[in-house]
Amino acid sequence: MDDRFHSYFMRLALREAELAAETGDVPAGCVIIRRPETPVPLAAVPVIGRAHNQTEALKDPTAHAEILAITQAAAEFGDWRLTDTVLYVTKEPCPMCAGAIVLARIPLVVWGLPDPKRGGQNVFSIFTHPGINHHPEVLENVELEACEHIIKDFFRQRRNDNSCR
């Protein structure tokens, strides 16, 4: 898997993030794919989970993109163990989502924008903690500028909307 491969699926996650922003949720999007065993055309790689943040829409603090996509992928996979998958998310997973990723045994996590305040890995070291039994590989900063842009635009707009009240 090369940069082009990872960028393709991160752009799918960005489309999900746009859907979250449209409904007033923090624009995070997630896509989970089956990891191909051999090189295949991008369009042939099955997406088994796809979601965006719906915390506001569902009034549910656990309705993060990663949690919703993991639930979809587990149903599609027919197992809670999501081995042989790759999870793409536009923003570094929070501790809750990082814990779910570990429990699901997802081997590769790819994110765009790091979260230096609440990141499950960069702040809490969940993926590398010696006390856990699964340590996913991490690839950071994929489509970083696009992921950063959608978050900054969302919060800029939110600040502008609040200043008009």
Side-chain angles (χ1 to χ4, degrees), residues 2 14 20 32 43 45 54 56 96 101 104 110 130 132 143:
D2 60 13
L14 278 160
I32 301 174
V45 177
Q54 296 185 52
E56 296 295 334
M96 174 184 69
I101 289 164
V110 180
I132 62 170
E143 296 291 325

Side-chain angles (χ1 to χ4, degrees), residues 1-151:
M1 291 183 280
D2 60 13
D3 290 345
R4 191 177 73 100
F5 183 93
H6 294 305
S7 288
Y8 175 83
F9 290 103
M10 186 59 73
R11 286 191 302 272
L12 294 181
L14 278 160
R15 287 187 198 141
E16 289 294 320
E18 291 168 0
L19 294 173
E22 288 172 9
T23 61
D25 270 291
V26 172
C30 182
V31 171
I32 301 174
I33 64 166
R34 285 188 187 263
R35 180 184 262 186
E37 293 179 23
T38 59
V40 297
L42 291 171
V45 177
V47 173
I48 60 171
R50 177 189 310 250
H52 54 275
N53 275 359
Q54 296 185 52
T55 302
E56 296 295 334
L58 298 177
K59 307 297 183 220
D60 179 354
T62 68
H64 290 198
E66 300 95 321
I67 300 295
L68 298 172
I70 287 169
T71 300
Q72 281 181 13
E76 177 71 23
F77 220 59
D79 194 351
W80 61 269
R81 293 174 192 89
L82 298 178
T83 57
D84 301 323
T85 63
V86 180
L87 182 144
Y88 294 88
V89 64
T90 55
K91 189 174 81 55
E92 179 180 357
C94 73
M96 174 184 69
C97 294
I101 289 164
V102 167
L103 292 173
R105 312 295 195 272
I106 295 171
L108 176 59
V109 180
V110 180
W111 68 72
L113 181 65
D115 186 343
K117 292 183 180 179
R118 291 173 294 280
Q121 178 56 31
N122 286 322
V123 176
F124 297 99
S125 304
I126 291 171
F127 295 142
T128 55
H129 191 281
I132 62 170
N133 62 342
H134 174 71
H135 302 273
E137 182 183 345
V138 168
L139 180 59
E140 300 181 63
N141 302 325
V142 173
E143 296 291 325
L144 172 62
E145 289 179 13
C147 293
E148 185 176 48
H149 179 74
I150 194 168
I151 288 282

